[in-house]
Amino acid sequence: MAEQQTDETEDTCQLVYEQGGVFAHKNGNARNEDVLIAGKMVVCKRDMKVFVEWQPEVQTDCSTSEPNTELDWTQVNAVGYKSHKSDSDGPVGDGELRMLHKNKKLHISIDVRDLKSYKLSKKKEGWEHITFIQRDGTTHPPLHFHSGGVNEFVEVLRQYVSILKSRKDRRLFLVSEHEMTALQKSFHELQLFGEQSTDLVNKIYTDPYTATMSGLAKVRNFLWDNLVVPETRPRSEVADILLTDPDNILVPGLMFDRDENEPEFELICCTELPPRVEVSRSEPFTAVEWEDQLDAQGRIDDWDHIKNRVFKGGISHSLRGEVWKLLLNYYRVDSTSKERTETRKQKLDDYFRMKLQWKSISADQESHFSVFRDYKSLIEKDTDRTDRTHPFYQGPDNANIAMLYDVLMTYCMYNFDLGYVQGMSDLLAPILVILENEVDAFWCFVGFMEKVKHNFDLDQQGMKTQLKNLSTLLHFSDNQLFTYLESNDSGNLYFCFRWVLIIFKREFIFADIMRLWEVLWTDLPCENFHLLICLAILDTQKHIIIENQFGFTEILKHINDLSLSIDLELTLKKAEAIFLQLKECPDTPKKVREVIGLEGGNNDSDAATPEEDQNELIHDQCHLVTTTEHRI
Amino acid sequence: MSYAYLFKYIIIGDTGVGKSCLLLQFTDKRFQPVHDLTIGVEFGARMITIDGKQIKLQIWDTAGQESFRSITRSYYRGAAGALLVYDITRRDTFTHLTTWLEDARQHSNSNMVIMLIGNKTDLESRRDVKKEEGEAFAREHGLIFMETSAKTAANVEEAFINTAKEIYEKIQEGVFDINNEANGIKIGPQHSPSSPHAPSGSLGQQAGGGCC
């Protein structure tokens, strides 16, 4: 195990400590396989800095893993250390596959200044192991000392950092900076100011008061952060630590009680989700099946069955118009053919009445009606640039563009408070393609908007709520990605904005978006299933994002670039499988269950006592609730 | 292709003033009036040369409608340059400049170079805002100013490149600290020790390999 010494001894590397027989432990993938990689633990000094490193014993392509030795810290790979059997690890996208092959190696190198905490294993519990967590949220896999020696290692580490024992977890140790190490550092190195000193000097020059005061405030923040560490550690770190330790999982009810009054500081405990099951999809719902469902009066026999079929397989293209009208509340699902004919007649009248309202506004009136004028000009501009490459909307003077315009203008009259907001034309375009009729398209669009209108709030409150809900789901279902995004300025998930705003319209090809929307319109298998679609796509992209160490810009750009290259069926399967995991997991927090509508089952769940809440969680009583604003 | 510097730009302004068309004209040298309307943000990039140095412009094109201001604000961060665009045939897009400018100043780096652009000079017959008005606004607020046409490409190159020149001069003068990425400037991969957050091409190719 000493043969790799040369890699580290170039430059001025001084070896302080070395211990062989230390195994990186990757705990279970989807099939609960454990992966152990043999290696050695090293503490060394390089360029005046101290590094804690774990080096794999067999470095197959080590030469390529070493160009980063000048960096403050190098984490060549945090997640992709799969065994060579990983080929059978279920379907992965092309890109992901490439990434896994590229980054099969694992090598941990942490500048001790970046070390935030470490967690030791329980004394009696098999091999001793240690888990490192960096300041940026990175949590390394547990390192198992098969030949012992953790205590010796910790003693060495203590020579370079001062360590506080956590008050809440006796096996968690926090690296403190407030003693010698902190004093030794210049302001510059501490990065108190988030900007370079020259910039700071400029600021002091131009605005001495503000610059000085904000500088002092940061010093105070620094002291606060470092002196009061145990109380103020971000929740993400806490959660991650709990992850690895089955005996340390708190009673779910205890955590939730504490959260209820302070949603901003909710602690979502991450536990191991049940294994992800393979979900099957079926063929589209066909015209023959549809005929079978109608009785002599044209009444639908079993609407729930149809919805299930649509959820599992979508709808045959030729039948879409018919079924979309039911999914989008154009017709009542218990109506007869005769009643549907009457409904349609009524809707026809209603539509033209509203259309006449805006059609009959004179130029003079319009000149005194700025809100209307603005909507009109915006709709004009936007219908001219909506899906113009689709055959239905192609070419100059296309009559369907005029129809798109008329429907959106009439919608303004129907819901003047909301009016027209960019993105609506994207939602209408596929509906008009299918319905091919202005009136039908309008009323189906109304039905669609009922489900998603809060996306278009002027203050964007609806969008913010959705992204927050997505964040809640992600925090629980994939803490590693959540933590990664948080530490890369992307915790607000704004990079999913377009996905959510127009329900993935720009992410999938036309045929796929129709399939996806009809699936979502069934409201199955839970509320906010579109957020699980987000999780599924993020899950597929996770390795690429993390292994490339993408920052704010790279993440946003990468997600943008996925447009039209996402595999829909795979995504649908994965999203449903994630739903099943959340549903089956006894520790799924209340917040998460609420987002996907699994919480309660009675409308006055707010009135439930804590004990009841707890029982409910423990016994995993899942009910589908079908009343919230953001269901699709 | 390698570069000495990378500058981040953001294009802002009312909807329909031609932001995406300016970007497309600059990056692809073509005018496409039926380009889908922008939702969220889109990216473009092009390499230019200033003072013999290769500079990569990474351009963020934003949605213009008021509802989306709050999300657009999150994109200002780390921009070295902004193109603030209005439509010379629509006065309201000119009157809204003040709020755009406030937004930009409030959410961006104080050294960010702002270029004011009056677009659509090809529609001279429908002009609603005089060139002098644009100039006066720019003077008053310390912006550089140009009138452009994304359709005919008039002044489009100049608008993007002059902004870059201004940024470059600020670097030379030491106003911009190039080591601080919050200023919207990154040093090219071969010019500095590699950094864990260096711009990397998609799928982990070498940095600078044509990402966006």
Side-chain angles (χ1 to χ4, degrees):
Chain A
M1 64 191 70
E3 70 273 32
Q4 295 302 326
Q5 204 60 22
T6 46
D7 283 331
E8 298 302 319
T9 48
E10 54 183 32
D11 299 338
T12 52
C13 182
Q14 184 195 342
L15 192 64
V16 177
Y17 162 91
E18 184 179 305
Q19 168 73 52
V22 180
F23 288 71
H25 195 256
K26 167 65 178 158
N27 192 352
N29 49 24
R31 297 197 307 271
N32 271 335
E33 286 169 349
D34 285 351
V35 180
L36 282 178
I37 308 163
K40 61 178 175 181
M41 200 73 219
V42 167
V43 175
C44 62
K45 284 185 190 170
R46 198 163 50 228
D47 299 337
M48 311 290 288
K49 293 168 191 156
V50 180
F51 291 85
V52 171
E53 301 194 336
W54 176 85
Q55 300 160 8
E57 207 168 280
V58 188
Q59 295 183 315
T60 46
D61 44 1
C62 184
S63 52
T64 56
S65 76
E66 286 302 313
N68 292 328
T69 41
E70 313 115 303
L71 298 185
D72 283 352
W73 59 273
T74 307
Q75 184 198 348
V76 176
N77 187 352
V79 282
Y81 36 86
K82 302 203 170 189
S83 68
H84 295 284
K85 299 174 281 185
S86 71
D87 294 346
S88 59
D89 204 38
V92 282
D94 261 353
E96 188 178 13
L97 206 60
R98 255 175 285 159
M99 286 313 303
L100 291 176
H101 282 237
K102 227 177 142 59
N103 288 305
K104 224 179 285 175
K105 58 206 172 287
L106 170 67
H107 173 130
I108 297 169
S109 174
I110 309 165
D111 182 332
V112 291
R113 293 177 308 174
D114 290 321
L115 190 63
K116 177 80 179 177
S117 59
Y118 62 85
K119 170 110 189 226
L120 294 177
S121 56
K122 265 167 84 173
K123 287 248 158 56
K124 294 165 273 182
E125 188 185 78
W127 292 308
E128 304 169 291
H129 59 82
I130 185 165
T131 305
F132 294 109
I133 298 153
Q134 288 184 200
R135 293 193 181 279
D136 66 356
T138 310
T139 305
H140 294 278
L143 300 171
H144 291 242
F145 286 63
H146 285 201
S147 342
V150 167
N151 292 339
E152 289 78 2
F153 166 76
V154 167
E155 280 313 306
V156 173
L157 187 62
R158 278 180 184 277
Q159 295 167 19
Y160 303 100
V161 289
S162 56
I163 290 164
L164 288 176
K165 197 169 178 175
S166 162
R167 291 181 210 166
K168 294 194 179 133
D169 179 345
R170 61 200 157 79
R171 294 194 309 281
L172 177 66
F173 298 86
L174 301 144
V175 176
S176 158
E177 267 201 299
H178 73 279
E179 289 175 17
M180 288 304 287
T181 40
L183 294 175
Q184 282 161 2
K185 289 179 182 179
S186 67
F187 275 171
H188 184 91
E189 278 175 312
L190 286 171
Q191 293 184 320
L192 286 179
F193 298 99
E195 61 216 332
Q196 294 296 305
S197 31
T198 43
D199 199 32
L200 175 69
V201 171
N202 281 340
K203 278 194 176 164
I204 290 176
Y205 201 71
T206 49
D207 186 357
Y209 182 76
T210 313
T212 311
M213 291 316 278
S214 66
L216 287 173
K218 283 169 184 169
V219 173
R220 179 254 176 216
N221 287 344
F222 169 76
L223 292 173
W224 183 262
D225 288 348
N226 285 277
L227 295 177
V228 207
V229 165
E231 267 77 24
T232 56
R233 267 180 311 120
R235 60 173 194 254
S236 54
E237 290 166 23
V238 179
D240 216 24
I241 292 154
L242 294 172
L243 169 72
T244 50
D245 214 343
D247 67 272
N248 202 19
I249 293 164
L250 304 174
V251 181
L254 289 176
M255 281 183 293
F256 307 138
D257 288 346
R258 201 182 66 181
D259 297 336
E260 260 154 20
N261 297 327
E262 274 186 85
E264 291 301 315
F265 295 96
E266 183 188 21
L267 172 72
I268 298 180
C269 175
C270 298
T271 53
E272 202 69 23
L273 283 172
R276 202 173 284 173
V277 294
E278 186 70 28
V279 169
S280 65
R281 303 254 323 141
S282 39
E283 289 300 304
F285 181 61
T286 63
V288 177
E289 287 177 89
W290 171 246
E291 292 301 328
D292 277 355
Q293 279 290 329
L294 301 176
D295 68 11
Q297 280 77 45
R299 201 181 268 117
I300 294 163
D301 182 41
D302 187 350
W303 175 240
D304 285 340
H305 168 77
I306 296 179
K307 278 206 298 184
N308 271 306
R309 281 287 290 116
V310 174
F311 174 70
K312 276 297 191 182
I315 307 166
S316 297
H317 191 71
S318 61
L319 190 64
R320 282 200 162 119
E322 251 351 271
V323 184
W324 281 18
K325 285 179 192 165
L326 291 154
L327 289 169
L328 294 169
N329 293 318
Y330 181 112
Y331 296 133
R332 289 165 51 101
V333 293
D334 58 357
S335 57
T336 62
S337 312
K338 198 168 157 238
E339 286 165 338
R340 289 202 284 272
T341 310
E342 269 162 32
T343 302
R344 182 157 198 287
K345 195 167 162 296
Q346 181 62 44
K347 296 225 183 256
L348 204 73
D349 290 347
D350 270 358
Y351 177 78
F352 285 109
R353 181 178 51 76
M354 289 185 283
K355 186 175 176 182
L356 189 64
Q357 288 172 347
W358 65 266
K359 277 274 190 188
S360 60
I361 289 177
S362 68
D364 185 37
Q365 259 181 305
E366 200 181 307
S367 69
H368 308 294
F369 196 175
S370 61
V371 183
F372 175 79
R373 207 168 54 230
D374 288 349
Y375 285 153
K376 194 177 156 190
S377 126
L378 201 54
I379 293 172
E380 239 160 25
K381 278 190 188 308
D382 286 356
T383 47
D384 240 12
R385 46 183 182 158
T386 301
D387 289 319
R388 295 303 297 275
T389 50
H390 189 278
F392 191 76
Y393 297 109
Q394 239 167 21
D397 302 319
N398 185 317
N400 296 326
I401 294 291
M403 215 156 26
L404 205 60
Y405 172 82
D406 284 358
V407 171
L408 288 171
M409 284 300 290
T410 308
Y411 186 79
C412 273
M413 288 325 256
Y414 175 80
N415 187 348
F416 203 84
D417 289 341
L418 187 58
Y420 171 77
V421 184
Q422 289 189 324
M424 289 186 187
S425 65
D426 271 276
L427 298 187
L428 173 60
I431 292 178
L432 189 57
V433 167
I434 291 298
L435 279 301
E436 292 181 292
N437 170 289
E438 192 178 331
V439 179
D440 293 346
F442 172 82
W443 288 108
C444 283
F445 178 65
V446 167
F448 193 6
M449 284 302 296
E450 273 312 298
K451 294 169 186 284
V452 300
K453 61 185 175 193
H454 292 292
N455 284 7
F456 299 97
D457 293 342
L458 185 62
D459 59 3
Q460 290 288 285
Q461 204 46 57
M463 281 302 294
K464 284 173 190 161
T465 305
Q466 296 225 56
L467 292 176
K468 190 152 191 297
N469 284 342
L470 178 57
S471 164
T472 303
L473 295 180
L474 185 67
H475 192 173
F476 179 69
S477 68
D478 192 341
N479 187 52
Q480 187 196 16
L481 181 59
F482 176 86
T483 307
Y484 181 84
L485 296 173
E486 285 235 305
S487 53
N488 283 279
D489 303 321
S490 302
N492 59 16
L493 304 180
Y494 274 12
F495 58 88
C496 300
F497 179 83
R498 189 174 71 189
W499 291 1
V500 177
L501 182 80
I502 49 174
I503 338 293
F504 308 96
K505 167 65 169 35
R506 301 281 179 97
E507 320 312 320
F508 292 98
I509 56 168
F510 237 74
D512 280 351
I513 202 65
M514 292 174 177
R515 171 67 29 89
L516 174 60
W517 284 359
E518 63 204 12
V519 167
L520 293 174
W521 291 336
T522 63
D523 294 335
L524 295 172
C526 62
E527 284 175 33
N528 286 314
F529 188 59
H530 64 295
L531 298 182
L532 299 186
I533 300 280
C534 295
L535 290 187
I537 304 174
L538 289 176
D539 185 75
T540 309
Q541 299 308 319
K542 173 180 170 175
H543 295 302
I544 296 174
I545 291 172
I546 297 180
E547 289 175 35
N548 279 305
Q549 300 180 339
F550 283 154
F552 174 75
T553 303
E554 290 81 15
I555 293 169
L556 188 56
K557 178 160 168 30
H558 176 71
I559 295 295
N560 250 26
D561 288 347
L562 294 178
S563 177
L564 308 186
S565 65
I566 306 169
D567 183 327
L568 179 64
E569 288 300 311
L570 196 94
T571 305
L572 283 169
K573 282 183 196 170
K574 199 179 250 188
E576 191 183 345
I578 293 172
F579 163 73
L580 293 171
Q581 286 181 295
L582 295 174
K583 185 181 156 213
E584 300 305 332
C585 176
D587 300 320
T588 301
K590 185 164 180 262
K591 279 268 170 221
V592 172
R593 303 180 80 88
E594 274 170 359
V595 170
I596 55 173
L598 289 178
E599 189 55 30
N602 49 348
N603 289 331
D604 54 353
S605 59
D606 285 349
T609 65
E611 288 81 1
E612 280 167 348
D613 275 357
Q614 213 169 311
N615 283 338
E616 218 165 336
L617 286 158
I618 290 165
H619 295 121
D620 189 28
Q621 294 170 346
C622 313
H623 298 281
L624 291 174
V625 184
T626 50
T627 50
T628 323
E629 285 171 342
H630 291 299
R631 77 199 152 96
I632 301 267
Chain B
M1 216 187 331
S2 65
Y3 53 86
Y5 295 109
L6 181 145
F7 296 166
K8 173 181 167 180
Y9 279 15
I10 180 167
I11 314 183
I12 50 172
D14 275 9
T15 177
V17 296
K19 296 182 291 294
S20 303
C21 289
L22 281 167
L23 174 60
L24 197 67
Q25 182 60 262
F26 179 65
T27 57
D28 288 30
K29 299 194 193 320
R30 65 194 168 99
F31 178 65
Q32 193 186 1
V34 295
H35 187 273
D36 277 356
L37 68 116
T38 308
I39 302 285
V41 65
E42 306 270 357
F43 294 87
R46 205 186 114 182
M47 205 72 85
I48 59 169
T49 308
I50 290 174
D51 201 14
K53 292 211 162 59
Q54 288 280 84
I55 293 174
K56 181 173 169 177
L57 301 183
Q58 179 195 69
I59 305 151
W60 297 44
D61 173 26
T62 63
Q65 201 177 2
E66 199 183 346
S67 305
F68 304 127
R69 288 283 178 94
S70 59
I71 177 130
T72 305
R73 284 185 195 119
S74 70
Y75 303 141
Y76 284 110
R77 210 194 45 177
L83 306 189
L84 172 54
V85 189
Y86 68 94
D87 174 353
I88 63 156
T89 72
R90 277 161 60 209
R91 177 153 293 273
D92 54 337
T93 66
F94 182 74
T95 43
H96 293 156
L97 288 178
T98 323
T99 47
W100 279 113
L101 200 56
E102 274 170 18
D103 244 31
R105 290 256 154 93
Q106 199 180 336
H107 296 94
S108 69
N109 180 287
S110 55
N111 292 316
M112 184 172 77
V113 172
I114 304 176
M115 161 76 84
L116 179 65
I117 292 178
N119 190 33
K120 306 196 186 179
T121 52
D122 52 291
L123 301 174
E124 190 58 47
S125 60
R126 284 162 52 188
R127 181 186 277 275
D128 199 16
V129 183
K130 288 200 210 84
K131 190 176 181 187
E132 293 73 30
E133 294 177 85
E135 283 167 344
F137 186 92
R139 220 174 14 251
E140 188 187 335
H141 295 94
L143 319 173
I144 5 175
F145 175 67
M146 288 201 109
E147 282 196 341
T148 61
S149 166
K151 189 171 185 179
T152 68
N155 271 343
V156 173
E157 291 271 317
E158 289 81 352
F160 283 88
I161 291 171
N162 289 356
T163 308
K165 279 182 183 161
E166 185 93 359
I167 297 166
Y168 187 75
E169 276 167 28
K170 284 196 172 189
I171 295 174
Q172 305 298 306
E173 291 163 5
V175 178
F176 267 130
D177 179 356
I178 50 170
N179 293 313
N180 181 1
E181 285 184 8
N183 280 328
I185 297 163
K186 288 180 188 174
I187 307 172
Q190 81 283 27
H191 294 260
S192 70
S194 56
S195 120
H197 292 289
S200 33
S202 50
L203 301 175
Q205 289 148 4
Q206 258 310 301
C211 156
C212 57

